[in-house]
């Protein structure tokens, strides 16, 4: 991975821990609507589950139906506490000898250790592949044309993948995909994508693309804060209600069948003097000094404003009077998501 990060530094990127910046958030935000961005996803990491029992092992732990995941497909998934709170959100796809789990890098070591505790007699080995495989996010209105120009196959539908010359492309939307490649080959792939018209962009640009896609990422700041439906996981295909038991399943099922969900995830805009952070509390007059929700993921637009995914009381979103950090803090405006909320 050192070669990959050294290459990025040579390309003009600033690396701060796992956060990558190319310096112009406003230009990157504008380019989402007109072109294609190539984003080194250092803030994400990979855990590989390999072995003949991989599907059954993961199926018994996660919210989605791993056993029925077809070859060439991917799915959103979650690992929950016994109380039904999300410990991790991740993208899962099949590999030749098992599965890969893509999650936030800041929780990966702890999740790797925790998941290992459930292996017992299963014929499965877990490995942190973050140092050996690189991830490049591709997002923007001209994604398909860019991949074609780079000689890379664009999967035919969302949540499908393609594999060519050791490069895996996982499509997560019409305007978003993730390229997975051996770390040693990442610099050449980045040059290839850039030559096809993609603009190098930082972590913030990927956060913005995911905020606009309505796809949340659980990080250390938000672990155990939300039941899966609060993060709209039932709406983006991250929960199977037909599968058997898994940790937290009773709570997730009860949330669906025994009443109206009081909190949902919304896309919002915020004008604030300082950058909002994931996990920050939200307030509304109806709840006084009591928190009415939390920010999940935040992206800067480069003009002093921000877009975010925020879980809040549905009644507060309907009233439209929600504030960041304090009852008199910066106001939030609710924006449209690409899917309908119930």
């Amino acid at each position: 991975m050192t070669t990959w990060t050294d290459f990025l530094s040579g390309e003009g990127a600033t690396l701060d821990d796992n956060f990558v910046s190319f310096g112009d958030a406003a230009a990157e935000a504008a380019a989402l609507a007109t072109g294609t961005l190539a984003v080194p996803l250092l803030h994400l990491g990979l855990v590989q589950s390999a072995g003949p029992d991989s599907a059954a092992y993961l199926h018994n732990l996660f919210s989605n139906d791993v056993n029925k995941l077809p070859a060439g497909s991917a799915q959103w998934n979650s690992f929950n506490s016994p109380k039904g709170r999300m410990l991790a959100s991740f993208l899962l796809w099949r590999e030749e000898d098992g599965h890969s789990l893509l999650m936030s890098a800041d929780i990966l070591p702890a999740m790797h250790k925790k998941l290992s505790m459930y292996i017992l007699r299963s014929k499965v080995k877990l490995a942190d592949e973050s140092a050996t495989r690189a991830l490049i996010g591709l997002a923007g209105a001209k994604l398909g044309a860019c991949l074609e120009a780079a000689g890379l196959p664009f999967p035919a539908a969302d949540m499908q993948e393609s594999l060519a010359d050791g490069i895996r492309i996982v499509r997560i939307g019409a305007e978003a995909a993730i390229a997975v490649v051996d770390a040693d080959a990442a610099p050449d792939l980045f040059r290839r994508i850039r030559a096809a018209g993609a603009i190098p962009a930082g972590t913030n640009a990927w956060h913005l693309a995911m905020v606009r896609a309505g796809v949340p990422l659980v990080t250390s700041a938000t672990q155990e804060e939300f039941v899966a439906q609060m993060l709209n996981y039932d709406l983006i295909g991250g929960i199977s209600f037909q599968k058997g038991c898994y940790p937290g399943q009773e709570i997730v099922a009860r949330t669906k069948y025994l009443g109206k969900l009081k909190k949902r995830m919304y896309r919002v805009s915020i004008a604030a003097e300082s950058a909002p952070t994931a996990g920050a509390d939200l307030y509304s007059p109806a709840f006084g000094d009591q928190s009415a929700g939390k920010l999940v993921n935040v992206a800067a637009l480069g003009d002093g404003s921000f877009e975010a995914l925020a879980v809040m009381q549905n009644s507060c979103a309907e009233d439209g009077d929600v504030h960041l950090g304090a009852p008199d803090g910066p106001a939030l405006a609710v924006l449209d998501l690409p899917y309908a909320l119930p």
Side-chain angles (χ1 to χ4, degrees):
M1 184 62 78
T2 302
T3 301
W4 173 222
T5 53
D6 287 346
F7 166 80
L8 293 174
S9 296
E11 292 290 296
T14 300
L15 310 181
D16 182 6
D17 196 7
N18 290 321
F19 193 90
V20 180
S21 173
F22 282 92
D24 195 339
E28 292 172 2
L32 272 177
T34 59
T36 305
L37 302 181
V39 183
L41 301 180
L42 301 188
H43 70 293
L44 302 177
L46 276 176
V47 170
Q48 186 174 41
S49 170
D53 293 341
S54 178
Y57 159 72
L58 298 176
H59 182 85
N60 290 334
L61 292 176
F62 297 159
S63 63
N64 216 336
D65 195 328
V66 181
N67 280 336
K68 292 183 179 179
L69 180 65
S73 298
Q75 63 182 199
W76 298 113
N77 220 318
S78 71
F79 181 44
N80 306 315
S81 73
K83 294 183 179 181
R85 299 280 166 159
M86 287 178 66
L87 296 169
S89 62
F90 48 88
L91 183 66
L92 181 150
W93 63 83
R94 286 177 55 172
E95 300 269 5
E96 184 177 352
D97 57 350
H99 302 78
S100 281
L101 288 61
L102 179 69
M103 67 182 74
S104 181
D106 68 338
I107 64 172
L108 188 149
M111 289 300 97
H112 184 196
K113 181 177 180 181
K114 192 172 185 68
L115 291 171
S116 297
M117 295 168 59
Y118 290 88
I119 291 178
L120 302 177
R121 294 189 177 91
S122 298
K123 296 178 180 177
V124 173
K125 290 184 179 180
L126 294 184
D128 181 353
E129 295 283 319
S130 305
T132 57
R133 290 200 282 176
L135 307 161
I136 302 173
L138 304 166
K142 295 184 179 179
L143 173 59
C146 180
L147 286 173
E148 182 179 0
L152 297 170
F154 189 36
D158 295 352
M159 305 309 286
Q160 290 188 359
E161 59 169 347
S162 59
L163 185 63
D165 300 325
I167 302 168
R168 186 182 304 273
I169 305 293
V170 184
R171 172 173 166 171
I172 56 179
E175 297 184 0
I178 295 174
V180 187
V181 66
D182 287 345
D184 291 343
D188 286 342
L189 177 59
F190 199 80
R191 293 189 193 97
R192 180 175 169 184
I193 295 170
R194 189 172 184 176
I199 300 168
T203 309
N204 178 77
W206 185 255
H207 286 326
L208 181 59
M210 293 300 96
V211 165
R212 292 179 173 176
V215 175
L217 178 69
V218 171
T219 64
S220 59
T222 55
Q223 280 186 302
E224 298 194 69
E225 291 288 349
F226 311 116
V227 174
Q229 288 100 318
M230 293 181 188
L231 290 183
N232 299 345
Y233 249 50
D234 53 331
L235 306 181
I236 65 173
I239 307 172
S240 169
F241 293 103
Q242 286 73 48
K243 62 171 290 186
C245 294
Y246 56 89
Q249 184 265 347
E250 182 180 355
I251 305 299
V252 173
R254 186 186 303 165
T255 300
K256 174 178 173 63
Y257 295 114
L258 296 183
K260 182 180 178 181
L261 189 65
K262 294 182 179 180
K263 289 183 177 181
R264 276 284 185 185
M265 186 179 74
Y266 296 83
R267 175 178 162 231
V268 301
S269 65
I270 312 166
E273 293 183 1
S274 58
T277 58
D281 286 304
L282 307 177
Y283 295 86
S284 175
F287 287 81
D289 292 334
Q290 179 183 351
S291 173
K294 287 184 179 291
L295 294 185
V296 183
N297 305 119
V298 183
L301 298 184
D303 59 359
S305 64
F306 303 84
E307 288 189 19
L309 295 175
V311 169
M312 68 181 81
Q313 296 281 343
N314 295 325
S315 59
C316 296
E318 292 165 4
D319 292 341
D321 192 4
V322 184
H323 298 264
L324 172 67
D328 60 351
L332 277 65
V334 176
L335 303 175
D336 289 337
L337 285 166
Y339 48 80
L341 296 177

XYZ file of all heavy atoms in Angstrom, residues 97-167:
512
model
N -13.323 -17.716 -3.901
C -13.197 -18.631 -2.777
C -13.901 -18.133 -1.522
O -13.609 -18.572 -0.420
C -11.719 -18.870 -2.455
C -10.975 -17.568 -2.166
O -11.566 -16.489 -2.397
O -9.826 -17.635 -1.706
N -14.843 -17.198 -1.682
C -15.544 -16.700 -0.506
C -16.232 -15.376 -0.772
O -16.920 -15.212 -1.784
N -16.007 -14.408 0.108
C -16.681 -13.118 0.010
C -15.758 -11.998 0.482
O -14.834 -12.242 1.259
C -17.949 -13.104 0.888
C -18.930 -14.165 0.541
N -18.769 -15.487 0.939
C -20.090 -14.126 -0.171
C -19.790 -16.202 0.483
N -20.599 -15.398 -0.186
N -16.041 -10.782 0.029
C -15.347 -9.594 0.524
C -16.338 -8.667 1.200
O -17.487 -8.528 0.754
C -14.643 -8.858 -0.615
O -13.428 -9.498 -0.956
N -15.879 -8.006 2.270
C -16.691 -7.071 3.029
C -15.981 -5.724 3.022
O -14.859 -5.610 3.518
C -16.862 -7.532 4.481
C -17.760 -8.722 4.806
C -17.291 -10.013 4.148
C -17.808 -8.924 6.322
N -16.631 -4.728 2.456
C -16.064 -3.380 2.364
C -16.718 -2.510 3.431
O -17.936 -2.321 3.427
C -16.335 -2.808 0.979
C -15.850 -1.396 0.686
C -14.329 -1.371 0.620
C -16.449 -0.890 -0.615
N -15.908 -1.966 4.347
C -16.445 -1.187 5.464
C -15.525 -0.032 5.807
O -14.423 0.097 5.245
C -16.633 -2.089 6.686
C -15.339 -2.616 7.288
S -15.630 -3.739 8.695
C -16.202 -5.213 7.830
N -15.965 0.800 6.737
C -15.162 1.936 7.164
C -13.868 1.453 7.807
O -13.868 0.571 8.664
C -15.944 2.786 8.163
O -15.191 3.899 8.578
N -12.754 2.051 7.380
C -11.443 1.596 7.864
C -11.269 1.810 9.360
O -10.529 1.069 10.009
C -10.330 2.327 7.106
N -11.948 2.799 9.924
C -11.717 3.086 11.341
C -12.345 2.063 12.269
O -11.983 1.983 13.449
C -12.183 4.505 11.698
C -13.689 4.680 11.637
O -14.358 3.897 10.944
O -14.194 5.627 12.276
N -13.285 1.250 11.769
C -13.868 0.202 12.602
C -13.396 -1.191 12.188
O -13.714 -2.169 12.867
C -15.410 0.246 12.574
C -15.960 -0.056 11.169
C -15.923 1.598 13.076
C -17.468 -0.213 11.121
N -12.652 -1.268 11.093
C -12.298 -2.583 10.543
C -11.507 -3.469 11.512
O -11.861 -4.656 11.668
C -11.556 -2.424 9.217
C -11.295 -3.705 8.437
C -11.285 -3.437 6.942
C -9.974 -4.361 8.824
N -10.459 -2.991 12.177
C -9.717 -3.891 13.068
C -10.598 -4.524 14.154
O -10.498 -5.726 14.418
C -8.638 -2.979 13.670
C -8.445 -1.911 12.638
C -9.805 -1.664 12.098
N -11.459 -3.717 14.760
C -12.336 -4.244 15.808
C -13.357 -5.214 15.235
O -13.669 -6.247 15.856
C -13.034 -3.093 16.531
N -13.901 -4.917 14.036
C -14.870 -5.814 13.420
C -14.204 -7.126 12.991
O -14.794 -8.205 13.118
C -15.534 -5.133 12.216
C -16.495 -4.017 12.577
S -17.889 -4.571 13.615
C -17.293 -4.125 15.254
N -12.994 -7.030 12.466
C -12.242 -8.237 12.100
C -12.093 -9.145 13.313
O -12.332 -10.366 13.240
C -10.877 -7.821 11.551
C -10.053 -8.968 11.047
N -8.699 -8.862 10.811
C -10.373 -10.253 10.748
C -8.238 -10.016 10.384
N -9.229 -10.876 10.340
N -11.717 -8.567 14.425
C -11.527 -9.347 15.646
C -12.852 -9.928 16.139
O -12.921 -11.112 16.511
C -10.921 -8.461 16.726
C -10.644 -9.168 18.043
C -9.975 -8.237 19.037
C -9.695 -8.945 20.370
N -9.049 -8.014 21.341
N -13.896 -9.126 16.111
C -15.199 -9.586 16.609
C -15.778 -10.683 15.736
O -16.292 -11.693 16.232
C -16.163 -8.407 16.696
C -17.444 -8.708 17.477
C -18.245 -7.450 17.688
C -19.462 -7.715 18.562
N -19.089 -8.050 19.961
N -15.692 -10.514 14.428
C -16.208 -11.528 13.512
C -15.430 -12.837 13.652
O -15.999 -13.929 13.507
C -16.142 -11.023 12.074
C -17.098 -9.896 11.708
C -16.770 -9.343 10.324
C -18.542 -10.362 11.760
N -14.135 -12.742 13.930
C -13.315 -13.945 14.087
C -13.785 -14.808 15.257
O -13.606 -16.030 15.247
C -11.848 -13.557 14.292
O -11.338 -12.884 13.161
N -14.405 -14.176 16.235
C -14.857 -14.907 17.417
C -16.005 -15.872 17.093
O -16.270 -16.806 17.850
C -15.299 -13.925 18.497
C -14.180 -13.049 19.044
S -14.794 -11.682 20.071
C -15.665 -12.587 21.356
N -16.682 -15.649 15.968
C -17.838 -16.473 15.604
C -17.472 -17.640 14.689
O -18.349 -18.434 14.325
C -18.898 -15.618 14.908
C -19.601 -14.632 15.805
C -19.079 -13.359 15.998
C -20.785 -14.960 16.453
C -19.723 -12.433 16.816
C -21.436 -14.043 17.263
C -20.896 -12.782 17.446
O -21.537 -11.867 18.258
N -16.221 -17.765 14.293
C -15.859 -18.807 13.330
C -16.041 -20.197 13.917
O -16.608 -21.098 13.279
C -14.405 -18.604 12.841
C -14.312 -17.344 11.973
C -13.934 -19.815 12.041
C -12.919 -17.033 11.493
N -15.565 -20.410 15.134
C -15.691 -21.705 15.821
C -15.199 -22.826 14.901
O -14.056 -22.859 14.511
C -17.134 -21.922 16.286
C -17.673 -20.826 17.244
C -19.121 -21.071 17.584
C -16.815 -20.726 18.489
N -16.092 -23.767 14.533
C -15.656 -24.899 13.699
C -15.885 -24.664 12.206
O -15.641 -25.563 11.400
C -16.395 -26.176 14.126
C -16.052 -26.668 15.532
C -16.658 -28.041 15.766
N -16.302 -28.578 17.066
C -17.008 -28.407 18.179
N -18.135 -27.692 18.136
N -16.626 -28.931 19.323
N -16.349 -23.508 11.839
C -16.587 -23.232 10.419
C -15.274 -23.249 9.639
O -14.236 -22.803 10.130
C -17.257 -21.868 10.244
O -18.519 -21.828 10.874
N -15.335 -23.748 8.426
C -14.160 -23.780 7.554
C -14.058 -22.433 6.838
O -14.413 -22.283 5.664
C -14.277 -24.929 6.565
C -14.273 -26.300 7.238
C -14.428 -27.417 6.228
C -14.428 -28.782 6.922
N -14.641 -29.890 5.946
N -13.593 -21.443 7.597
C -13.514 -20.062 7.124
C -12.251 -19.422 7.685
O -11.872 -19.675 8.834
C -14.745 -19.244 7.583
C -14.561 -17.774 7.228
C -16.018 -19.763 6.954
N -11.612 -18.593 6.876
C -10.504 -17.768 7.350
C -10.806 -16.320 6.997
O -11.192 -16.010 5.867
C -9.185 -18.202 6.710
C -8.678 -19.552 7.201
C -7.309 -19.878 6.604
C -6.783 -21.222 7.119
N -5.454 -21.549 6.541
N -10.630 -15.444 7.978
C -10.820 -14.013 7.754
C -9.465 -13.334 7.629
O -8.545 -13.635 8.390
C -11.596 -13.378 8.914
C -13.042 -13.799 9.129
C -13.653 -12.991 10.268
C -13.875 -13.633 7.870
N -9.362 -12.398 6.698
C -8.100 -11.679 6.505
C -8.389 -10.224 6.173
O -9.326 -9.922 5.417
C -7.279 -12.314 5.389
N -7.601 -9.341 6.755
C -7.674 -7.923 6.419
C -6.878 -7.712 5.137
O -5.657 -7.840 5.116
C -7.094 -7.100 7.566
C -7.158 -5.598 7.312
O -7.527 -5.192 6.195
O -6.832 -4.828 8.237
N -7.573 -7.396 4.054
C -6.948 -7.236 2.743
C -6.681 -5.770 2.399
O -6.319 -5.446 1.263
C -7.856 -7.845 1.668
C -8.033 -9.358 1.769
C -6.825 -10.100 1.239
O -6.273 -9.686 0.214
O -6.431 -11.098 1.871
N -6.835 -4.881 3.369
C -6.741 -3.452 3.091
C -5.379 -3.035 2.562
O -5.272 -2.074 1.781
C -7.073 -2.656 4.357
O -8.340 -3.016 4.867
N -4.328 -3.725 2.980
C -2.983 -3.343 2.550
C -2.599 -3.956 1.209
O -1.643 -3.495 0.568
C -1.965 -3.751 3.609
N -3.315 -4.972 0.788
C -2.935 -5.673 -0.436
C -3.847 -5.367 -1.622
O -3.491 -5.634 -2.769
C -2.929 -7.199 -0.212
O -4.219 -7.616 0.257
C -1.878 -7.571 0.818
N -5.012 -4.804 -1.362
C -5.920 -4.431 -2.443
C -6.328 -2.975 -2.286
O -6.642 -2.522 -1.189
C -7.157 -5.350 -2.478
C -6.803 -6.771 -2.929
C -8.025 -7.511 -3.437
N -8.843 -7.979 -2.335
C -10.026 -8.588 -2.506
N -10.509 -8.761 -3.720
N -10.708 -9.000 -1.459
N -6.349 -2.261 -3.381
C -6.695 -0.841 -3.374
C -8.118 -0.659 -3.884
O -8.626 -1.455 -4.682
C -5.716 -0.058 -4.237
N -8.730 0.416 -3.430
C -10.112 0.737 -3.778
C -10.147 2.127 -4.406
O -9.603 3.087 -3.847
C -10.995 0.717 -2.529
C -10.936 -0.557 -1.686
C -11.460 -0.296 -0.293
C -11.731 -1.666 -2.370
N -10.782 2.229 -5.547
C -10.927 3.514 -6.223
C -12.408 3.750 -6.481
O -13.060 2.960 -7.173
C -10.146 3.567 -7.547
C -8.658 3.306 -7.302
C -10.343 4.911 -8.247
C -7.835 3.163 -8.573
N -12.948 4.818 -5.911
C -14.336 5.162 -6.149
C -14.476 5.949 -7.439
O -13.675 6.839 -7.736
N -15.478 5.616 -8.210
C -15.745 6.283 -9.484
C -17.172 6.819 -9.433
O -18.111 6.057 -9.202
C -15.584 5.306 -10.646
C -14.215 4.611 -10.716
C -14.257 3.435 -11.677
C -13.143 5.609 -11.127
N -17.321 8.127 -9.625
C -18.647 8.719 -9.479
C -18.819 9.882 -10.434
O -17.869 10.614 -10.739
C -18.859 9.193 -8.042
N -20.054 10.052 -10.914
C -20.347 11.185 -11.767
C -21.279 10.844 -12.913
O -21.564 9.671 -13.189
N -21.751 11.880 -13.571
C -22.757 11.716 -14.614
C -22.248 10.961 -15.831
O -23.034 10.368 -16.575
C -23.274 13.090 -15.037
N -20.917 10.976 -16.068
C -20.368 10.326 -17.259
C -19.589 9.063 -16.903
O -18.643 8.680 -17.598
C -19.478 11.312 -18.016
C -20.243 12.493 -18.590
C -19.351 13.399 -19.415
C -20.146 14.564 -20.009
N -19.283 15.476 -20.795
N -20.002 8.399 -15.829
C -19.277 7.217 -15.360
C -19.190 6.131 -16.420
O -18.117 5.591 -16.689
C -19.951 6.664 -14.098
C -19.421 5.338 -13.572
C -17.943 5.419 -13.233
C -20.236 4.881 -12.360
N -20.317 5.785 -17.033
C -20.320 4.711 -18.022
C -19.394 4.998 -19.185
O -18.633 4.130 -19.626
N -19.421 6.235 -19.676
C -18.572 6.604 -20.807
C -17.104 6.579 -20.412
O -16.245 6.174 -21.210
C -18.962 7.991 -21.302
N -16.817 6.971 -19.192
C -15.429 6.968 -18.735
C -14.881 5.542 -18.647
O -13.764 5.268 -19.086
C -15.340 7.661 -17.371
S -13.683 7.724 -16.672
N -15.665 4.644 -18.095
C -15.223 3.252 -17.993
C -15.028 2.649 -19.387
O -14.065 1.919 -19.626
C -16.238 2.433 -17.195
C -16.256 2.676 -15.686
C -17.416 1.934 -15.042
C -14.945 2.241 -15.048
N -15.930 2.964 -20.291
C -15.794 2.454 -21.662
C -14.510 2.968 -22.297
O -13.773 2.210 -22.948
C -17.006 2.871 -22.494
C -16.970 2.337 -23.923
C -18.189 2.747 -24.735
O -19.064 3.445 -24.182
O -18.253 2.382 -25.918
N -14.215 4.254 -22.096
C -13.001 4.835 -22.664
C -11.742 4.226 -22.062
O -10.702 4.145 -22.711
C -13.004 6.348 -22.451
N -11.855 3.768 -20.794
C -10.726 3.138 -20.120
C -10.623 1.653 -20.439
O -9.696 0.979 -19.957
C -10.841 3.338 -18.614
N -11.552 1.131 -21.229
C -11.542 -0.282 -21.569
C -11.980 -1.171 -20.426
O -11.602 -2.349 -20.353
N -12.812 -0.622 -19.526
C -13.287 -1.377 -18.368
C -14.780 -1.633 -18.500
O -15.537 -0.735 -18.891
C -13.008 -0.600 -17.079
C -11.536 -0.351 -16.758
C -11.396 0.634 -15.609
C -10.841 -1.676 -16.417
N -15.231 -2.832 -18.167
C -16.659 -3.138 -18.297
C -17.478 -2.492 -17.197
O -17.100 -2.520 -16.026
C -16.696 -4.669 -18.184
C -15.493 -5.016 -17.361
C -14.443 -3.995 -17.701
N -18.589 -1.875 -17.565
C -19.521 -1.297 -16.602
C -20.650 -2.294 -16.403
O -21.360 -2.618 -17.350
C -20.061 0.034 -17.135
C -20.862 0.814 -16.130
C -20.537 0.825 -14.780
C -21.945 1.582 -16.544
C -21.260 1.567 -13.870
C -22.676 2.340 -15.638
C -22.329 2.329 -14.297
N -20.834 -2.826 -15.198
C -21.895 -3.814 -14.981
C -23.245 -3.307 -15.471
O -23.541 -2.104 -15.409
C -21.881 -4.005 -13.460
C -20.464 -3.706 -13.068
C -20.034 -2.587 -13.974
N -24.070 -4.225 -15.937
C -25.313 -3.858 -16.609
C -26.352 -3.276 -15.668
O -27.252 -2.551 -16.112
C -25.889 -5.081 -17.319
N -26.269 -3.578 -14.377
C -27.295 -3.116 -13.440
C -26.659 -2.797 -12.092
O -25.537 -3.230 -11.798
C -28.379 -4.185 -13.268
N -27.393 -2.038 -11.298
C -26.917 -1.707 -9.957
C -26.723 -2.975 -9.132
O -27.454 -3.966 -9.301
C -27.929 -0.812 -9.243
C -28.076 0.546 -9.909
O -27.285 0.848 -10.818
O -28.992 1.300 -9.514
N -25.741 -2.940 -8.253
C -25.413 -4.051 -7.351
C -24.999 -5.301 -8.108
O -25.227 -6.428 -7.680
C -26.565 -4.344 -6.387
C -27.012 -3.144 -5.573
S -25.635 -2.293 -4.719
C -25.278 -3.449 -3.405
N -24.379 -5.073 -9.270
C -23.722 -6.151 -10.005
C -22.250 -5.802 -10.160
O -21.846 -4.653 -9.960
C -24.374 -6.371 -11.370
C -25.767 -6.966 -11.295
C -26.312 -7.350 -12.660
O -25.669 -7.164 -13.690
N -27.517 -7.884 -12.671
N -21.439 -6.796 -10.493
C -20.007 -6.580 -10.624
C -19.489 -7.208 -11.905
O -20.129 -8.084 -12.495
C -19.268 -7.171 -9.416
C -19.515 -8.663 -9.245
C -18.589 -9.309 -8.231
O -17.601 -8.677 -7.843
O -18.849 -10.464 -7.860
N -18.350 -6.742 -12.335
C -17.671 -7.328 -13.482
C -16.206 -7.500 -13.118
O -15.673 -6.782 -12.268
C -17.813 -6.433 -14.719
O -17.262 -5.151 -14.455
N -15.552 -8.457 -13.739
C -14.153 -8.747 -13.447
C -13.407 -8.920 -14.760
O -13.793 -9.742 -15.594
C -14.048 -10.020 -12.596
C -12.656 -10.419 -12.104
C -12.087 -9.347 -11.184
C -12.715 -11.762 -11.391
N -12.349 -8.133 -14.942
C -11.554 -8.215 -16.167
C -10.118 -7.833 -15.858
O -9.864 -6.789 -15.242
C -12.130 -7.293 -17.248
N -9.194 -8.669 -16.257
C -7.759 -8.395 -16.085
C -7.402 -8.083 -14.635
O -6.576 -7.202 -14.360
C -7.323 -7.235 -16.984
C -7.566 -7.516 -18.462
O -7.411 -8.681 -18.863
O -7.917 -6.573 -19.191
N -8.038 -8.806 -13.721
C -7.733 -8.618 -12.307
C -8.355 -7.374 -11.689
O -8.086 -7.060 -10.526
N -9.196 -6.660 -12.430
C -9.862 -5.450 -11.929
C -11.342 -5.753 -11.740
O -12.037 -6.148 -12.686
C -9.695 -4.278 -12.908
C -8.218 -3.990 -13.147
C -10.418 -3.039 -12.390
C -7.970 -3.052 -14.320
